Amino acid sequence: MSLKLFDLTGRTALVTGSSRGLGRAMAEGLAACGARVILNGSNGDRLNAAVEEMTAAGHDVRGALFDVTDEDAIREAFAGFDASGTTIDILVNNAGIQFRKPMLDLDTADWQRILDVNLTAAFVIGREAARRMAVRGHGKIINIGSLTSDLARATVAPYAVSKGGIKMLTKAMAAEWSELGIQSNAIGPGFFDTEMNEALTSNPDFDSWVKSRTPVHRWGKPEELAGLAIFLASDASNYVSGQLIFADGGFTSVM
């Protein structure tokens, strides 16, 4: 298979929640394959620092500061892309938050906040991107799910519900948009060593459980998600649509 299938030169990728963590790692992977990357975040200082660092590394990158739960801000961002002649060829819906609390003690507001960030934002931003991709007859949408897209765990109910929703949102996107030339797929990361998981990686009992439960016996490294993102963003995946692909060190393959 020709490596040209993975060449993203001339394409623009918007990666939400990409000033750090898995989003940043995927953004760097796409940029390394030639894509112009638009980083997104709601923290201006952190976003600007990420843009500066990736630019210094030789990548073609810019920032888009907006809250993924603010529909008006999303529309304004896409209007700005349109006005500047920027076409979004690749969308990675990565922005997400976590909140751990037993359901009996969980406030409705906290439940709703997680669904708003993790699920509804992916629909709203995906819809804005797809409307433009459909006109051009091509596009790639990559939604970020989780182990909890398929598996539940105590104290993370709204997160699991949101990521289960991502799985079905991806299939719904594929059902409606595949004929328009848009491939919609999802990645389900396992346990990765990120800032978001710092409380877990520093907990000896949980760290031991993850390593014993995962066949590769370690946490994932953020950069190890980049290859799958590149595949799903590239022409190599043109006949792949509606799939959730786990990158979990074998976690979901064993009892």
mmCIF file of all heavy atoms in Angstrom, residues 11 13 15 18 27 44-45 47 51 75 81 91 133 136 140-141 155 159 161-162 168 178 186 189 210 213 219 226:
data_model
loop_
_atom_site.group_PDB
_atom_site.id
_atom_site.type_symbol
_atom_site.label_atom_id
_atom_site.label_comp_id
_atom_site.label_asym_id
_atom_site.label_seq_id
_atom_site.Cartn_x
_atom_site.Cartn_y
_atom_site.Cartn_z
ATOM 1 N N ARG A 11 -4.613 19.584 3.325
ATOM 2 C CA ARG A 11 -5.863 19.440 4.064
ATOM 3 C C ARG A 11 -5.771 20.162 5.406
ATOM 4 O O ARG A 11 -4.696 20.297 5.980
ATOM 5 C CB ARG A 11 -6.193 17.962 4.285
ATOM 6 C CG ARG A 11 -6.270 17.185 2.975
ATOM 7 C CD ARG A 11 -6.662 15.752 3.159
ATOM 8 N NE ARG A 11 -6.485 15.006 1.921
ATOM 9 C CZ ARG A 11 -6.809 13.737 1.746
ATOM 10 N NH1 ARG A 11 -7.333 13.054 2.757
ATOM 11 N NH2 ARG A 11 -6.613 13.134 0.581
ATOM 12 N N ALA A 13 -7.215 20.380 9.337
ATOM 13 C CA ALA A 13 -7.858 19.615 10.407
ATOM 14 C C ALA A 13 -8.164 20.522 11.589
ATOM 15 O O ALA A 13 -7.303 21.279 12.040
ATOM 16 C CB ALA A 13 -6.953 18.471 10.863
ATOM 17 N N VAL A 15 -9.082 20.241 15.461
ATOM 18 C CA VAL A 15 -9.058 19.286 16.572
ATOM 19 C C VAL A 15 -9.517 20.008 17.820
ATOM 20 O O VAL A 15 -8.838 20.924 18.307
ATOM 21 C CB VAL A 15 -7.643 18.693 16.783
ATOM 22 C CG1 VAL A 15 -7.686 17.601 17.854
ATOM 23 C CG2 VAL A 15 -7.085 18.143 15.472
ATOM 24 N N SER A 18 -7.504 20.583 22.020
ATOM 25 C CA SER A 18 -6.208 20.079 21.553
ATOM 26 C C SER A 18 -5.004 20.854 22.060
ATOM 27 O O SER A 18 -3.913 20.737 21.513
ATOM 28 C CB SER A 18 -6.186 20.062 20.024
ATOM 29 O OG SER A 18 -6.591 21.310 19.493
ATOM 30 N N ALA A 27 -3.208 16.062 17.116
ATOM 31 C CA ALA A 27 -2.934 17.232 16.281
ATOM 32 C C ALA A 27 -1.510 17.199 15.746
ATOM 33 O O ALA A 27 -1.264 17.495 14.561
ATOM 34 C CB ALA A 27 -3.172 18.509 17.077
ATOM 35 N N GLY A 44 -7.142 30.582 26.772
ATOM 36 C CA GLY A 44 -6.327 31.296 25.804
ATOM 37 C C GLY A 44 -4.837 31.137 25.989
ATOM 38 O O GLY A 44 -4.099 30.926 25.019
ATOM 39 N N ASP A 45 -4.367 31.214 27.226
ATOM 40 C CA ASP A 45 -2.932 31.097 27.487
ATOM 41 C C ASP A 45 -2.411 29.722 27.084
ATOM 42 O O ASP A 45 -1.358 29.602 26.445
ATOM 43 C CB ASP A 45 -2.642 31.354 28.967
ATOM 44 C CG ASP A 45 -2.862 32.802 29.370
ATOM 45 O OD1 ASP A 45 -2.879 33.671 28.472
ATOM 46 O OD2 ASP A 45 -3.031 33.065 30.578
ATOM 47 N N LEU A 47 -3.795 27.618 24.989
ATOM 48 C CA LEU A 47 -3.926 27.440 23.548
ATOM 49 C C LEU A 47 -2.798 28.155 22.818
ATOM 50 O O LEU A 47 -2.176 27.590 21.901
ATOM 51 C CB LEU A 47 -5.280 27.967 23.085
ATOM 52 C CG LEU A 47 -5.589 27.845 21.596
ATOM 53 C CD1 LEU A 47 -5.615 26.396 21.163
ATOM 54 C CD2 LEU A 47 -6.931 28.521 21.277
ATOM 55 N N VAL A 51 0.077 26.532 20.305
ATOM 56 C CA VAL A 51 0.297 27.008 18.941
ATOM 57 C C VAL A 51 1.753 27.398 18.740
ATOM 58 O O VAL A 51 2.379 27.041 17.729
ATOM 59 C CB VAL A 51 -0.633 28.197 18.626
ATOM 60 C CG1 VAL A 51 -0.230 28.853 17.308
ATOM 61 C CG2 VAL A 51 -2.087 27.749 18.561
ATOM 62 N N ARG A 75 -20.737 28.701 15.731
ATOM 63 C CA ARG A 75 -21.162 29.261 14.442
ATOM 64 C C ARG A 75 -20.225 30.395 14.011
ATOM 65 O O ARG A 75 -19.876 30.507 12.832
ATOM 66 C CB ARG A 75 -22.595 29.786 14.557
ATOM 67 C CG ARG A 75 -23.659 28.712 14.671
ATOM 68 C CD ARG A 75 -25.024 29.282 14.333
ATOM 69 N NE ARG A 75 -26.093 28.336 14.593
ATOM 70 C CZ ARG A 75 -26.835 28.302 15.704
ATOM 71 N NH1 ARG A 75 -26.620 29.212 16.651
ATOM 72 N NH2 ARG A 75 -27.786 27.414 15.858
ATOM 73 N N PHE A 81 -13.904 30.775 9.586
ATOM 74 C CA PHE A 81 -13.189 29.885 8.661
ATOM 75 C C PHE A 81 -13.639 30.161 7.230
ATOM 76 O O PHE A 81 -12.816 30.257 6.315
ATOM 77 C CB PHE A 81 -13.456 28.412 9.005
ATOM 78 C CG PHE A 81 -13.023 27.992 10.388
ATOM 79 C CD1 PHE A 81 -13.676 26.958 11.046
ATOM 80 C CD2 PHE A 81 -11.962 28.612 11.030
ATOM 81 C CE1 PHE A 81 -13.289 26.553 12.313
ATOM 82 C CE2 PHE A 81 -11.563 28.225 12.308
ATOM 83 C CZ PHE A 81 -12.236 27.191 12.947
ATOM 84 N N LEU A 91 -12.243 16.783 10.881
ATOM 85 C CA LEU A 91 -12.676 17.238 12.199
ATOM 86 C C LEU A 91 -12.424 16.125 13.205
ATOM 87 O O LEU A 91 -12.861 14.988 13.004
ATOM 88 C CB LEU A 91 -14.166 17.584 12.201
ATOM 89 C CG LEU A 91 -14.801 17.804 13.584
ATOM 90 C CD1 LEU A 91 -14.201 19.031 14.272
ATOM 91 C CD2 LEU A 91 -16.314 17.924 13.472
ATOM 92 N N MET A 133 -18.608 20.116 4.394
ATOM 93 C CA MET A 133 -18.014 18.955 3.722
ATOM 94 C C MET A 133 -18.946 18.409 2.647
ATOM 95 O O MET A 133 -18.504 17.990 1.569
ATOM 96 C CB MET A 133 -17.713 17.858 4.750
ATOM 97 C CG MET A 133 -16.621 18.186 5.738
ATOM 98 S SD MET A 133 -16.477 16.893 7.022
ATOM 99 C CE MET A 133 -15.068 17.491 7.961
ATOM 100 N N ARG A 136 -18.652 20.036 -0.690
ATOM 101 C CA ARG A 136 -17.430 19.661 -1.416
ATOM 102 C C ARG A 136 -17.392 18.187 -1.792
ATOM 103 O O ARG A 136 -16.576 17.773 -2.612
ATOM 104 C CB ARG A 136 -16.198 20.012 -0.573
ATOM 105 C CG ARG A 136 -16.081 21.494 -0.230
ATOM 106 C CD ARG A 136 -14.728 21.828 0.366
ATOM 107 N NE ARG A 136 -14.461 21.100 1.596
ATOM 108 C CZ ARG A 136 -14.848 21.495 2.798
ATOM 109 N NH1 ARG A 136 -15.538 22.619 2.934
ATOM 110 N NH2 ARG A 136 -14.550 20.785 3.876
ATOM 111 N N LYS A 140 -13.720 14.065 6.606
ATOM 112 C CA LYS A 140 -13.445 13.042 7.615
ATOM 113 C C LYS A 140 -13.830 13.572 8.989
ATOM 114 O O LYS A 140 -13.392 14.657 9.386
ATOM 115 C CB LYS A 140 -11.953 12.686 7.624
ATOM 116 C CG LYS A 140 -11.415 12.152 6.299
ATOM 117 C CD LYS A 140 -11.769 10.695 6.107
ATOM 118 C CE LYS A 140 -11.075 10.122 4.869
ATOM 119 N NZ LYS A 140 -11.254 8.664 4.749
ATOM 120 N N ILE A 141 -14.648 12.831 9.687
ATOM 121 C CA ILE A 141 -15.007 13.180 11.058
ATOM 122 C C ILE A 141 -14.562 12.050 11.976
ATOM 123 O O ILE A 141 -14.892 10.881 11.741
ATOM 124 C CB ILE A 141 -16.521 13.426 11.209
ATOM 125 C CG1 ILE A 141 -16.938 14.631 10.365
ATOM 126 C CG2 ILE A 141 -16.882 13.638 12.679
ATOM 127 C CD1 ILE A 141 -18.432 14.903 10.385
ATOM 128 N N THR A 155 -19.077 5.214 39.405
ATOM 129 C CA THR A 155 -18.752 6.627 39.680
ATOM 130 C C THR A 155 -18.529 7.477 38.431
ATOM 131 O O THR A 155 -18.247 8.661 38.539
ATOM 132 C CB THR A 155 -17.537 6.804 40.624
ATOM 133 O OG1 THR A 155 -16.322 6.543 39.914
ATOM 134 C CG2 THR A 155 -17.656 5.915 41.856
ATOM 135 N N TYR A 159 -20.156 10.206 32.218
ATOM 136 C CA TYR A 159 -19.080 10.054 31.245
ATOM 137 C C TYR A 159 -19.355 8.845 30.353
ATOM 138 O O TYR A 159 -19.251 8.922 29.120
ATOM 139 C CB TYR A 159 -17.743 9.895 31.962
ATOM 140 C CG TYR A 159 -16.545 9.861 31.057
ATOM 141 C CD1 TYR A 159 -15.988 11.039 30.576
ATOM 142 C CD2 TYR A 159 -15.955 8.657 30.682
ATOM 143 C CE1 TYR A 159 -14.878 11.023 29.740
ATOM 144 C CE2 TYR A 159 -14.848 8.626 29.853
ATOM 145 C CZ TYR A 159 -14.312 9.803 29.379
ATOM 146 O OH TYR A 159 -13.216 9.774 28.543
ATOM 147 N N VAL A 161 -22.234 7.395 29.757
ATOM 148 C CA VAL A 161 -23.394 7.673 28.910
ATOM 149 C C VAL A 161 -23.001 8.559 27.733
ATOM 150 O O VAL A 161 -23.418 8.330 26.592
ATOM 151 C CB VAL A 161 -24.514 8.327 29.746
ATOM 152 C CG1 VAL A 161 -25.624 8.850 28.847
ATOM 153 C CG2 VAL A 161 -25.085 7.330 30.747
ATOM 154 N N SER A 162 -22.184 9.566 27.995
ATOM 155 C CA SER A 162 -21.760 10.455 26.911
ATOM 156 C C SER A 162 -20.917 9.718 25.876
ATOM 157 O O SER A 162 -21.056 9.940 24.668
ATOM 158 C CB SER A 162 -20.979 11.650 27.479
ATOM 159 O OG SER A 162 -19.703 11.270 27.961
ATOM 160 N N MET A 168 -22.931 5.834 19.137
ATOM 161 C CA MET A 168 -24.129 5.835 18.310
ATOM 162 C C MET A 168 -24.235 7.100 17.447
ATOM 163 O O MET A 168 -24.774 7.051 16.341
ATOM 164 C CB MET A 168 -25.369 5.674 19.187
ATOM 165 C CG MET A 168 -25.443 4.325 19.879
ATOM 166 S SD MET A 168 -25.151 2.917 18.747
ATOM 167 C CE MET A 168 -26.482 3.125 17.568
ATOM 168 N N SER A 178 -22.499 9.274 4.837
ATOM 169 C CA SER A 178 -21.559 8.509 4.018
ATOM 170 C C SER A 178 -21.789 8.748 2.535
ATOM 171 O O SER A 178 -20.847 8.876 1.740
ATOM 172 C CB SER A 178 -21.667 7.012 4.331
ATOM 173 O OG SER A 178 -21.191 6.725 5.626
ATOM 174 N N ALA A 186 -14.986 6.618 14.971
ATOM 175 C CA ALA A 186 -14.639 6.978 16.345
ATOM 176 C C ALA A 186 -13.450 6.170 16.821
ATOM 177 O O ALA A 186 -13.235 5.034 16.388
ATOM 178 C CB ALA A 186 -15.834 6.753 17.280
ATOM 179 N N PRO A 189 -10.141 5.351 23.124
ATOM 180 C CA PRO A 189 -8.888 5.183 23.881
ATOM 181 C C PRO A 189 -9.115 4.375 25.159
ATOM 182 O O PRO A 189 -10.169 4.476 25.804
ATOM 183 C CB PRO A 189 -8.487 6.627 24.220
ATOM 184 C CG PRO A 189 -9.287 7.486 23.293
ATOM 185 C CD PRO A 189 -10.566 6.748 23.074
ATOM 186 N N VAL A 210 -4.896 -1.149 36.505
ATOM 187 C CA VAL A 210 -4.827 -0.907 35.068
ATOM 188 C C VAL A 210 -3.770 -1.791 34.427
ATOM 189 O O VAL A 210 -4.010 -2.434 33.390
ATOM 190 C CB VAL A 210 -4.524 0.583 34.775
ATOM 191 C CG1 VAL A 210 -4.142 0.784 33.302
ATOM 192 C CG2 VAL A 210 -5.730 1.438 35.115
ATOM 193 N N ARG A 213 -4.870 -5.458 34.437
ATOM 194 C CA ARG A 213 -6.080 -5.706 33.638
ATOM 195 C C ARG A 213 -5.819 -5.553 32.145
ATOM 196 O O ARG A 213 -6.510 -6.157 31.315
ATOM 197 C CB ARG A 213 -7.178 -4.726 34.094
ATOM 198 C CG ARG A 213 -8.478 -4.773 33.298
ATOM 199 C CD ARG A 213 -9.206 -6.079 33.453
ATOM 200 N NE ARG A 213 -10.487 -6.034 32.746
ATOM 201 C CZ ARG A 213 -10.643 -6.148 31.434
ATOM 202 N NH1 ARG A 213 -9.574 -6.282 30.654
ATOM 203 N NH2 ARG A 213 -11.855 -6.123 30.885
ATOM 204 N N TRP A 219 0.107 1.727 30.846
ATOM 205 C CA TRP A 219 -0.756 2.785 30.361
ATOM 206 C C TRP A 219 -0.351 3.147 28.929
ATOM 207 O O TRP A 219 0.811 2.979 28.539
ATOM 208 C CB TRP A 219 -0.623 4.032 31.229
ATOM 209 C CG TRP A 219 -1.124 3.876 32.631
ATOM 210 C CD1 TRP A 219 -0.518 3.199 33.651
ATOM 211 C CD2 TRP A 219 -2.330 4.424 33.177
ATOM 212 N NE1 TRP A 219 -1.276 3.276 34.796
ATOM 213 C CE2 TRP A 219 -2.390 4.027 34.538
ATOM 214 C CE3 TRP A 219 -3.359 5.209 32.655
ATOM 215 C CZ2 TRP A 219 -3.436 4.391 35.376
ATOM 216 C CZ3 TRP A 219 -4.405 5.571 33.490
ATOM 217 C CH2 TRP A 219 -4.440 5.169 34.840
ATOM 218 N N ALA A 226 -1.873 8.752 17.795
ATOM 219 C CA ALA A 226 -1.733 9.543 16.572
ATOM 220 C C ALA A 226 -1.882 8.702 15.309
ATOM 221 O O ALA A 226 -2.516 9.131 14.332
ATOM 222 C CB ALA A 226 -0.389 10.260 16.565
#
